[in-house]
Amino acid sequence: MFTRLITSALFAGAAAGLIAALLQLVFVQPVLLHAELYESGQLVHFGAAEISAHQDVGGLDPMRDGLSVVFSMLLYSGYALILLPLMSFAEQRGQSLSGKNGLIWGAVGFLVIQFAPGFSLAPEVPGVAAADVGIRQIWWAGTVIAAGIAAGLIAFTRSWIAWVGAAALLLAPHLIGAPEPESFVGPVPPEIAALFAVRALGVGLIGWSLLGAFAAYFWRTSGVTASAPQTSKA
């Protein structure tokens, strides 16, 4: 059982992480590199000369891009090691793990890990104003824990009281408010920051959804393999 879980999670995480990394290289990294030009002072927002939105941000960096791909695959493998035991638990309670259900599980993972904190604390590019990183990490962790408990209450209970509690847990961190800087200033244009946040969340949704689908697929196939009759040689 343990070997089956680890193997399925690693395969699912590697596959989803690879696709997510490629999407990040195409859609997210160019925006990030563009923001770094403003952070370093090579470009100036509201400068004397107009600057094209399609500013050249340099060519490929094999080392950086390769490490990004490896990190993404490891990160999604870690996510799969969290997601798949929960999916297995749901299966034991009578829920099927079809590809469609896997997509739903992945989407819920995205809501808990990325969208819930990102609703008030959006992904940030270098150079934007931000509150103290330690305070933001505490708020982020608390929001993820609250959203995770809420998702569990919704998925595994049938009580209206539990669902009301789940709604309260989802809302509480945002009613308290995410840590914000004293003033919203920074060298990066807000258009770039907004584009980065939207694309980062979009790639996250795709990656998590694929992770759930892959996890369901590899879990089912590994179960079929494990239960196949063994033939012995005469």
Side-chain angles (χ1 to χ4, degrees):
M1 178 71 172
F2 180 76
T3 302
R4 179 189 174 194
L5 190 150
I6 295 296
T7 303
S8 301
L10 291 179
F11 275 113
L18 176 60
I19 295 174
L22 295 177
L23 291 174
Q24 288 169 355
L25 292 177
V26 174
F27 295 106
V28 179
Q29 183 163 297
V31 184
L32 179 63
L33 295 177
H34 202 163
E36 289 179 349
L37 295 178
Y38 286 94
E39 182 188 29
S40 64
Q42 297 179 57
L43 295 179
V44 179
H45 190 209
F46 291 129
E50 293 185 359
I51 299 174
S52 170
H54 304 287
Q55 175 77 22
D56 181 19
V57 294
L60 296 175
D61 185 341
M63 178 63 71
R64 178 173 179 172
D65 295 346
L67 290 176
S68 297
V69 171
V70 172
F71 178 77
S72 179
M73 295 172 71
L74 291 174
L75 179 64
Y76 274 87
S77 295
Y79 288 154
L81 289 172
I82 298 173
L83 185 64
L84 196 51
L86 296 174
M87 296 171 67
S88 173
F89 177 73
E91 185 183 45
Q92 294 173 5
R93 293 172 63 93
Q95 298 183 21
S96 63
L97 287 186
S98 63
K100 180 180 179 180
N101 286 345
L103 286 172
I104 295 174
W105 273 95
V108 172
F110 163 78
L111 291 174
V112 170
I113 301 296
Q114 288 188 258
F115 185 79
F119 185 78
S120 292
L121 196 62
E124 299 169 345
V125 293
V128 300
D132 178 75
V133 64
I135 299 176
R136 284 185 290 146
Q137 288 175 339
I138 293 173
W139 184 90
W140 183 92
T143 303
V144 169
I145 292 172
I149 295 174
L153 290 174
I154 294 172
F156 298 114
T157 65
R158 294 295 181 268
S159 167
W160 283 102
I161 296 177
W163 291 350
V164 170
L169 285 170
L170 289 173
L171 289 173
H174 306 287
L175 293 176
I176 295 172
E180 296 181 350
E182 295 182 1
S183 59
F184 291 101
V185 295
V188 180
E191 295 85 355
I192 291 180
L195 182 60
F196 175 80
V198 170
R199 289 192 173 182
L201 290 173
V203 169
L205 175 58
I206 296 172
W208 270 99
S209 299
L210 291 175
L211 179 65
F214 285 137
Y217 170 78
F218 286 115
W219 180 254
R220 292 199 315 271
T221 55
S222 63
V224 171
T225 302
S227 61
Q230 301 293 324
T231 59
S232 59
K233 296 182 179 180

